[in-house]
Amino acid sequence: MLNRVILIGRLTRDPELRYTPAGVAVTQFTLAVDRPFTNSQSREREADFINIVTWRQLAETCANYLRKGRLTAVEGRIQVRNYDNNEGKKVYVTEIVADNVRFLESSNSGGNREEGAGSSNANASYGGGGGGNRNGGSREQQDPFIDDGKPIDISDDDLPF
Amino acid sequence: MLNRVILIGRLTRDPELRYTPAGVAVTQFTLAVDRPFTNSQSREREADFINIVTWRQLAETCANYLRKGRLTAVEGRIQVRNYDNNEGKKVYVTEIVADNVRFLESSNSGGNREEGAGSSNANASYGGGGGGNRNGGSREQQDPFIDDGKPIDISDDDLPF
Amino acid sequence: MLNRVILIGRLTRDPELRYTPAGVAVTQFTLAVDRPFTNSQSREREADFINIVTWRQLAETCANYLRKGRLTAVEGRIQVRNYDNNEGKKVYVTEIVADNVRFLESSNSGGNREEGAGSSNANASYGGGGGGNRNGGSREQQDPFIDDGKPIDISDDDLPF
Amino acid sequence: MLNRVILIGRLTRDPELRYTPAGVAVTQFTLAVDRPFTNSQSREREADFINIVTWRQLAETCANYLRKGRLTAVEGRIQVRNYDNNEGKKVYVTEIVADNVRFLESSNSGGNREEGAGSSNANASYGGGGGGNRNGGSREQQDPFIDDGKPIDISDDDLPF
DNA sequence: TTTT
DNA sequence: TTTT
């Protein structure tokens, strides 16, 4: 009924941009979010590694401007997908479907940047073009990301927008 | 670095209260949170089922007053634990460590209640006793909830408070 | 750069629906949000009274279904407007521009309801019609709500959507 | 009942640290938070200027490490105070009582810094010393900040912690 | 499988 | 494995 998440952390690697068969852009990345306390045994500060998914225009902006190590703010909703793995067992995947991403470090201010040309310090815009950006999402029965690289069996109808 | 989640949904079943070997109260429940859109194929409104964990004083209040079906608001942080399952494979568990829980329905206003005595419409207090309530949490290497019922191998030192 | 507010509280009175000269619906109400602690002197629990503004489709839904006393969740952004009062002094108004409102109590479950016909327990939908709902807002130089009742000098161009 | 705000913006000037007569540290600053859209007339991106208050340990950390222009994340609750001005009129002040502040730019990475010695890139810790940090707050009847500089009439009992 |  |  209400589902809102706000995170600030750093990308663990460069974002991955893909396209559904219907041509919809999807970008995934993982945010390392430091915990507010240190582990009582190791005395070390740990992090949670949280998977982020973005769709459409926002996906392309993220793919263009985010890089490993960059400090980033993400706003979105928690989504729990499930799919059947190769042993026929249900696997649950929790991820944040982002509808707002803020680049807190430009390409020349932080993070490690092995990229050739420095990218601009642009910010992700709210939503995309003419459509709502609140309802990005993916489907239930199958993990669109598990079949790495090959075209995936998703029609436009599967996407809730 | 910043990690905040706010959810409103309904309990899928009664909460489960346990105690660590050191006597720390832990309550778990699942919140069904309706998505803001309907599935484009089935035309049905789906929900995300999100696992919540609470610790200490808040755990006991939740166990006392929450019941299956009750509308509830939860505030907390996303935590990703992992443990090795019986096949030696790493399993990742995502859950919300709540530090604020609001009971939006009292025992006599909604939800289905098969419980004998009606419970009060009390609200969960902020944190507990004399300590901070922001840093509840569980440990990394082992799932404290997988070994259902039997005493579990967690010392007080594992708990970050 | 990022501006997000989530509140749960009760309406202090029935919402007020108006229309700008261009015909855009605006609904205002105030939420009483209990503080998480009691006043250290009076030992009483106090509340913050927070002004909410909604626009367009959401404004009409709120006007139709919300009533004084109802428990309500509001999601939006903080906005600080200012206008010159009749003494030529700048007055600052802080309010929440809501883009998501959840009715936590239907007409027959709580709040005081003097209304004749009971209204349904409908939920506010995300945004409106075909446009983005993220960018509701009001303008800077003049308070559209101060000139109570009479038509107000706002053209459609003033509204950022 | 639930009251949560998360902001990212830049300080409009250096923070101001004061002490109540009882010796409690209070720091105030203003955050300029860019709106997610441009003004439809001026085509310019505007900002909301939002007042932040922090108490105790967090107040001192903010005063030490924040400077004008720095990109900063703030988490807290909205509070509406009121006081009677010199004409006996009630004035309402809305501010964010922060319980978590994140320094997104260190002294050597951004913002304008006229300060002599570079300050460290420390982060505000969660809460302070031995006490809870959730319930910072200020009092209702009088504005502790209006009587600039001179000792102010607040006893410890006025402060809800 | 992880970031600074 | 799911709630209304």
Side-chain angles (χ1 to χ4, degrees):
Chain A
M1 231 183 156
L2 189 148
N3 182 338
R4 193 103 293 241
V5 179
I6 297 178
L7 304 170
I8 299 180
R10 293 183 184 277
L11 292 240
T12 61
R13 33 183 171 58
D14 286 359
E16 285 183 33
L17 169 63
R18 300 178 192 192
Y19 290 89
T20 68
V24 180
V26 199
T27 292
Q28 279 199 307
F29 55 90
T30 297
L31 224 53
V33 181
D34 287 341
R35 296 192 175 165
F37 49 85
T38 53
N39 183 293
S40 54
Q41 296 186 297
S42 68
R43 301 277 112 206
E44 285 177 2
R45 184 167 296 268
E46 299 172 344
D48 290 289
F49 297 95
I50 301 174
N51 298 314
I52 315 291
V53 192
T54 63
W55 290 88
R56 310 200 323 142
Q57 172 60 43
L58 184 56
E60 302 194 316
T61 315
C62 287
N64 283 337
Y65 293 113
L66 285 179
R67 288 294 173 272
K68 181 183 178 186
R70 297 275 171 78
L71 192 66
T72 306
V74 162
E75 207 184 332
R77 39 174 282 274
I78 304 181
Q79 181 171 262
V80 184
R81 289 183 297 118
N82 64 76
Y83 65 93
D84 298 309
N85 68 5
N86 36 14
E87 299 144 30
K89 243 182 55 179
K90 251 192 173 43
V91 179
Y92 289 86
V93 179
T94 301
E95 56 207 356
I96 306 305
V97 183
D99 51 48
N100 188 15
V101 177
R102 294 290 151 186
F103 309 160
L104 304 176
E105 277 175 356
S106 63
S107 55
N108 34 28
S109 80
N112 48 355
R113 62 228 95 99
E114 310 93 357
E115 72 265 16
S119 49
S120 100
N121 67 344
N123 273 355
S125 72
Y126 264 79
N133 61 320
R134 208 64 184 267
N135 47 3
S138 60
R139 58 172 311 204
E140 294 303 298
Q141 261 67 261
Q142 181 203 348
D143 188 351
F145 305 112
I146 218 160
D147 197 359
D148 221 337
K150 304 122 205 162
I152 20 175
D153 184 19
I154 293 191
S155 79
D156 248 30
D157 295 342
D158 294 337
L159 299 170
F161 50 83
Chain B
M1 228 182 159
L2 188 148
N3 182 338
R4 192 103 296 239
V5 179
I6 298 178
L7 303 170
I8 300 180
R10 292 182 185 278
L11 292 238
T12 61
R13 35 185 168 57
D14 286 0
E16 285 183 35
L17 169 62
R18 299 179 192 190
Y19 290 88
T20 67
V24 180
V26 200
T27 293
Q28 280 199 306
F29 55 90
T30 297
L31 223 52
V33 181
D34 286 341
R35 297 193 176 165
F37 49 86
T38 53
N39 183 293
S40 53
Q41 295 187 297
S42 68
R43 303 276 110 206
E44 284 176 3
R45 183 166 297 267
E46 298 173 345
D48 290 289
F49 297 94
I50 301 174
N51 297 315
I52 315 291
V53 192
T54 63
W55 290 89
R56 310 199 323 141
Q57 171 59 44
L58 184 56
E60 300 194 316
T61 316
C62 287
N64 283 337
Y65 294 114
L66 285 178
R67 287 296 172 271
K68 181 184 177 185
R70 296 277 171 77
L71 192 66
T72 306
V74 162
E75 206 184 332
R77 39 174 280 273
I78 305 181
Q79 181 170 260
V80 184
R81 291 184 295 118
N82 63 77
Y83 65 94
D84 297 310
N85 70 3
N86 36 14
E87 299 144 30
K89 241 182 57 179
K90 250 191 174 46
V91 179
Y92 290 86
V93 180
T94 301
E95 56 206 357
I96 306 305
V97 183
D99 50 49
N100 189 14
V101 176
R102 295 290 150 186
F103 309 160
L104 304 176
E105 277 175 355
S106 63
S107 56
N108 35 28
S109 79
N112 48 353
R113 65 230 92 101
E114 309 95 359
E115 75 265 17
S119 49
S120 101
N121 67 345
N123 275 353
S125 72
Y126 264 77
N133 62 322
R134 208 65 183 272
N135 47 2
S138 60
R139 60 172 310 208
E140 295 302 299
Q141 262 67 261
Q142 181 203 348
D143 188 352
F145 305 111
I146 217 160
D147 197 1
D148 221 339
K150 304 125 205 160
I152 20 176
D153 184 19
I154 293 191
S155 79
D156 249 30
D157 295 343
D158 295 336
L159 298 169
F161 49 84
Chain C
M1 229 181 157
L2 189 148
N3 182 337
R4 194 103 290 242
V5 178
I6 298 178
L7 303 170
I8 299 180
R10 293 183 184 276
L11 292 237
T12 60
R13 33 183 169 59
D14 286 0
E16 285 182 34
L17 169 63
R18 301 180 192 188
Y19 290 89
T20 67
V24 180
V26 200
T27 292
Q28 280 198 306
F29 54 90
T30 297
L31 223 52
V33 180
D34 286 341
R35 297 193 174 165
F37 50 85
T38 52
N39 183 293
S40 54
Q41 296 186 296
S42 68
R43 301 277 111 207
E44 284 176 2
R45 182 167 298 267
E46 299 172 344
D48 291 288
F49 297 94
I50 302 174
N51 297 316
I52 316 290
V53 192
T54 62
W55 290 88
R56 311 207 317 148
Q57 171 59 42
L58 184 56
E60 301 194 316
T61 315
C62 287
N64 283 337
Y65 293 114
L66 286 178
R67 286 295 171 272
K68 181 185 178 186
R70 296 276 171 78
L71 192 66
T72 306
V74 163
E75 206 184 331
R77 38 173 282 273
I78 305 180
Q79 181 171 261
V80 184
R81 289 185 295 118
N82 64 76
Y83 65 94
D84 298 308
N85 69 5
N86 36 14
E87 297 144 30
K89 243 182 56 178
K90 253 197 169 41
V91 180
Y92 290 86
V93 179
T94 300
E95 57 206 357
I96 307 305
V97 182
D99 50 49
N100 189 15
V101 177
R102 295 290 150 186
F103 307 160
L104 304 176
E105 277 175 357
S106 63
S107 55
N108 34 29
S109 80
N112 47 354
R113 66 230 90 102
E114 310 94 357
E115 73 266 18
S119 49
S120 99
N121 67 344
N123 273 354
S125 72
Y126 265 78
N133 63 320
R134 209 64 182 269
N135 45 3
S138 61
R139 61 172 311 208
E140 294 302 298
Q141 262 67 261
Q142 180 203 350
D143 189 353
F145 305 112
I146 219 160
D147 197 359
D148 221 337
K150 304 122 205 162
I152 20 175
D153 184 19
I154 292 191
S155 79
D156 249 31
D157 295 343
D158 294 337
L159 298 169
F161 49 83
Chain D
M1 227 183 161
L2 189 147
N3 182 338
R4 194 102 292 244
V5 179
I6 298 178
L7 303 171
I8 300 180
R10 294 184 184 275
L11 291 238
T12 60
R13 33 185 170 56
D14 286 359
E16 286 182 35
L17 170 63
R18 301 179 193 192
Y19 290 88
T20 67
V24 180
V26 200
T27 292
Q28 279 199 307
F29 54 91
T30 297
L31 223 53
V33 181
D34 285 342
R35 297 193 174 164
F37 50 85
T38 53
N39 183 294
S40 54
Q41 295 186 297
S42 68
R43 302 275 112 206
E44 285 176 1
R45 183 166 296 268
E46 298 172 345
D48 290 289
F49 297 93
I50 301 173
N51 298 315
I52 316 290
V53 193
T54 63
W55 290 88
R56 311 202 321 141
Q57 171 60 42
L58 183 56
E60 301 194 315
T61 315
C62 287
N64 284 336
Y65 294 114
L66 285 178
R67 288 295 171 271
K68 181 185 178 186
R70 296 278 170 77
L71 191 66
T72 306
V74 162
E75 208 183 330
R77 38 174 282 274
I78 305 180
Q79 180 170 261
V80 184
R81 290 184 295 118
N82 65 76
Y83 65 95
D84 298 310
N85 68 5
N86 35 14
E87 298 144 30
K89 244 182 54 180
K90 252 195 171 43
V91 179
Y92 290 86
V93 180
T94 301
E95 55 207 357
I96 307 305
V97 183
D99 50 48
N100 188 15
V101 177
R102 294 291 152 184
F103 308 159
L104 304 176
E105 277 176 354
S106 63
S107 55
N108 34 30
S109 79
N112 49 352
R113 64 230 94 103
E114 310 94 358
E115 72 265 19
S119 49
S120 101
N121 67 344
N123 275 354
S125 72
Y126 264 76
N133 63 319
R134 209 61 182 272
N135 47 3
S138 60
R139 60 172 310 208
E140 294 303 298
Q141 260 68 261
Q142 182 204 347
D143 189 352
F145 305 114
I146 219 161
D147 197 359
D148 221 339
K150 305 121 206 162
I152 21 175
D153 184 20
I154 293 190
S155 80
D156 248 31
D157 294 343
D158 295 336
L159 299 168
F161 48 85

